[in-house]
Amino acid sequence: MPKQRTTFATLKEDERKARQRVIVDAAERVFGKKPFEQVSMREVAREAGIAVSSIYRYFPDQQSLFVEAFVLGTREIINRVDQRIAAGRISNLSDFVLIYIDFLIEHDHHFRMMTHFMLDGQLSGPLLEKLNEAARSILEQFDKIIAGDSKPEQTRLHSHALFAALNGILISFRNYPGRKPEEVRRHMEKLAGLAAHMCESHLRSVTG
Amino acid sequence: MPKQRTTFATLKEDERKARQRVIVDAAERVFGKKPFEQVSMREVAREAGIAVSSIYRYFPDQQSLFVEAFVLGTREIINRVDQRIAAGRISNLSDFVLIYIDFLIEHDHHFRMMTHFMLDGQLSGPLLEKLNEAARSILEQFDKIIAGDSKPEQTRLHSHALFAALNGILISFRNYPGRKPEEVRRHMEKLAGLAAHMCESHLRSVTG
DNA sequence: TGTACATCAGTGAACGCGCGTTCACTGATGTAC
DNA sequence: TGTACATCAGTGAACGCGCGTTCACTGATGTAC
């Protein structure tokens, strides 16, 4: 009965995926509590309610687990933003930029992971490929948003610039001395708004 | 002879400073070889030609040493840029921005330290104060450059935006997949130029 | 000038810790006949 | 239906390593009388 066998096999495979997912979710929860560079396999295991060695049944090493968490998180951001775009809640660059900033302030650990992987640069081939694909899909979303306002040959450059500017804002002012979190957020939003505005008006001057 | 005593004392103090400096310089040299987060006290000691325990005669702990290295490095950047400004080699925002980018590409370890300290945020009081002062002096240089073109109340916001944008460019594209270092540099310079241009034209439109 | 004492830079060896990862094993479930 | 075997998720304990930091000590130099 080859047919049943494959059904069984896929069921098993699904279970395996589900268990992987449990581990990744646990990791994500721990990331919420402390800087992710300080999160150990033991803590993830404790949070997931399993033994440390069990994690290694599902991930070859720590880096793979963390990259997987990052990739899933990225996918989720992109989906959420896409939903808002589809719902017509994002009509211009400023809206988009605010959502990007707010999301990454809210999911701070995700931003930390992003900058960490951007800085790192000593990842093995397959993991690097996964990360690059995640980066590509973020940039594509920027492209899509900007494409409306610009000539095609201007799109990419401007989306790169905006992407970089937003990341820079998030990193440069996150520990703005003597400011409360709410003030920091407002400052970041203001700077992001300025960046979006500059980008838009520059595109207009170039395109039209 | 209290006078001679103080001379002696200051001489001793100077020697102490000089020895501190030897250690910091050694650290800086090691930073050139590998990501600074991976640099250990043992390596710094080896590079300086002394015992590990000797370092602790001059710095209470690793963080203090690293912060000192960062602060000195920052001071050097600022001085160099100031010199170029004084020599009339920087006449507009685009010039300035290129120098900033190039310097930090060249001194990659310094940029890494900067982002690391920006992300970290769990430093003890006095160290934090040192870092904040360094950050402040960088931002003041941005202010000075921008102040020429803008109304005073616009200066700070724009220098923050530009500072953030440049940092973001440096972090977001440093590992641009499949590009050679020279191509990465050109891309960064292009983006930085775009940022400077946007900033200038926006200032002009606001200032009138 | 000589002697006893204080200071302090410098040191090698050790401490203690936490980490990522591996290993040998258990026990439950599924399979073959 | 019962029995022998294979598979594999899950585990606790251990391995090995590198790290920041401390400690007890040495030896050179300066100081007091």
Side-chain angles (χ1 to χ4, degrees):
Chain A
M1 278 188 274
K3 212 173 182 184
Q4 229 193 40
R5 205 178 231 159
T6 38
T7 316
F8 259 67
T10 52
L11 271 180
K12 275 221 156 166
E13 189 53 29
D14 287 351
E15 273 186 56
R16 212 187 135 74
K17 284 261 161 71
R19 289 202 197 93
Q20 276 195 29
R21 190 57 202 254
V22 168
I23 295 173
V24 172
D25 288 348
E28 208 100 38
R29 256 173 282 132
V30 183
F31 294 153
K33 290 183 213 150
K34 52 161 69 178
F36 99 95
E37 299 93 334
Q38 295 172 24
V39 170
S40 70
M41 294 300 260
R42 277 167 243 262
E43 282 171 293
V44 175
R46 200 183 314 133
E47 177 71 30
I50 58 176
V52 206
S53 43
S54 299
I55 299 181
Y56 289 87
R57 294 253 169 224
Y58 297 93
F59 297 95
D61 52 31
Q62 194 185 43
Q63 252 186 356
S64 305
L65 168 58
F66 284 9
V67 167
E68 183 67 16
F70 176 70
V71 167
L72 289 184
T74 301
R75 214 167 286 165
E76 204 196 309
I77 301 183
I78 292 180
N79 284 342
R80 288 216 212 167
V81 176
D82 272 345
Q83 280 169 19
R84 298 216 200 177
I85 296 176
R89 311 251 256 98
I90 299 178
S91 55
N92 57 25
L93 260 194
S94 302
D95 292 344
F96 174 70
V97 142
L98 282 187
I99 295 207
Y100 184 83
I101 291 275
D102 284 348
F103 193 94
L104 287 181
I105 290 176
E106 221 60 59
H107 298 71
D108 187 64
H109 68 278
H110 193 268
F111 179 68
R112 286 189 90 105
M113 289 183 99
M114 188 168 91
T115 59
H116 177 266
F117 288 131
M118 280 171 166
L119 276 175
D120 190 358
Q122 36 194 4
L123 291 167
S124 61
L127 290 188
L128 195 69
E129 193 36 53
K130 278 190 136 185
L131 285 175
N132 288 342
E133 204 206 301
R136 224 176 297 132
S137 54
I138 296 177
L139 276 172
E140 268 166 29
Q141 203 166 45
F142 273 79
D143 282 349
K144 250 189 286 172
I145 299 283
I146 288 190
D149 300 349
S150 77
K151 286 187 194 163
E153 74 270 19
Q154 290 286 333
T155 302
R156 182 126 66 179
L157 194 65
H158 283 76
S159 76
H160 276 198
L162 191 60
F163 173 67
L166 297 183
N167 292 338
I169 289 167
L170 285 164
I171 213 180
S172 301
F173 298 103
R174 75 205 314 273
N175 287 323
Y176 203 159
R179 264 69 167 188
K180 293 186 218 112
E182 196 39 50
E183 295 171 310
V184 167
R185 176 192 224 104
R186 265 203 306 276
H187 189 56
M188 285 182 173
E189 289 178 346
K190 197 169 177 184
L191 289 170
L194 179 60
H197 180 119
M198 284 178 172
C199 201
E200 271 176 329
S201 64
H202 187 259
L203 277 172
R204 221 167 317 151
S205 77
V206 168
T207 303
Chain B
M1 278 187 275
K3 213 174 183 184
Q4 229 195 39
R5 205 179 232 160
T6 38
T7 317
F8 260 67
T10 51
L11 270 180
K12 274 222 157 167
E13 190 53 29
D14 288 351
E15 273 186 55
R16 210 187 136 73
K17 283 260 160 69
R19 289 200 198 95
Q20 276 196 28
R21 190 58 201 253
V22 167
I23 295 172
V24 172
D25 288 347
E28 207 101 39
R29 256 173 283 132
V30 183
F31 294 154
K33 291 183 212 148
K34 53 161 65 179
F36 99 96
E37 299 94 333
Q38 295 171 25
V39 171
S40 71
M41 296 299 261
R42 277 168 243 261
E43 282 171 294
V44 175
R46 201 183 313 133
E47 178 71 30
I50 59 176
V52 207
S53 44
S54 299
I55 299 181
Y56 289 87
R57 294 254 169 224
Y58 297 93
F59 297 95
D61 52 31
Q62 193 185 42
Q63 253 187 355
S64 305
L65 167 58
F66 284 9
V67 167
E68 183 68 15
F70 177 70
V71 167
L72 290 184
T74 302
R75 213 167 287 165
E76 204 198 310
I77 300 184
I78 291 179
N79 285 342
R80 287 215 212 168
V81 176
D82 272 344
Q83 280 169 18
R84 298 215 200 178
I85 295 176
R89 311 251 255 98
I90 298 179
S91 55
N92 56 27
L93 260 194
S94 301
D95 292 345
F96 174 70
V97 142
L98 282 187
I99 294 205
Y100 184 83
I101 290 276
D102 284 348
F103 193 94
L104 287 182
I105 290 176
E106 222 60 59
H107 298 71
D108 186 64
H109 68 278
H110 192 268
F111 179 68
R112 286 189 91 105
M113 289 182 99
M114 188 169 93
T115 58
H116 176 266
F117 288 131
M118 281 171 165
L119 276 175
D120 191 356
Q122 37 195 4
L123 291 167
S124 62
L127 290 188
L128 195 69
E129 192 37 55
K130 279 190 134 186
L131 285 176
N132 287 342
E133 203 206 304
R136 224 177 297 132
S137 56
I138 296 178
L139 276 173
E140 267 166 28
Q141 202 166 45
F142 273 78
D143 283 349
K144 248 190 289 173
I145 299 282
I146 288 190
D149 299 349
S150 76
K151 287 188 193 162
E153 74 270 20
Q154 290 287 332
T155 302
R156 182 125 66 177
L157 194 65
H158 283 75
S159 78
H160 275 199
L162 190 59
F163 173 67
L166 297 183
N167 293 337
I169 289 166
L170 284 164
I171 213 180
S172 302
F173 297 103
R174 75 205 313 273
N175 286 323
Y176 203 160
R179 263 70 168 187
K180 293 185 218 115
E182 197 38 52
E183 295 171 310
V184 167
R185 175 193 225 103
R186 265 203 307 276
H187 190 55
M188 286 181 172
E189 290 178 346
K190 198 169 176 184
L191 288 170
L194 179 60
H197 180 115
M198 284 177 172
C199 200
E200 271 176 328
S201 62
H202 186 260
L203 278 171
R204 220 167 318 149
S205 77
V206 169
T207 304

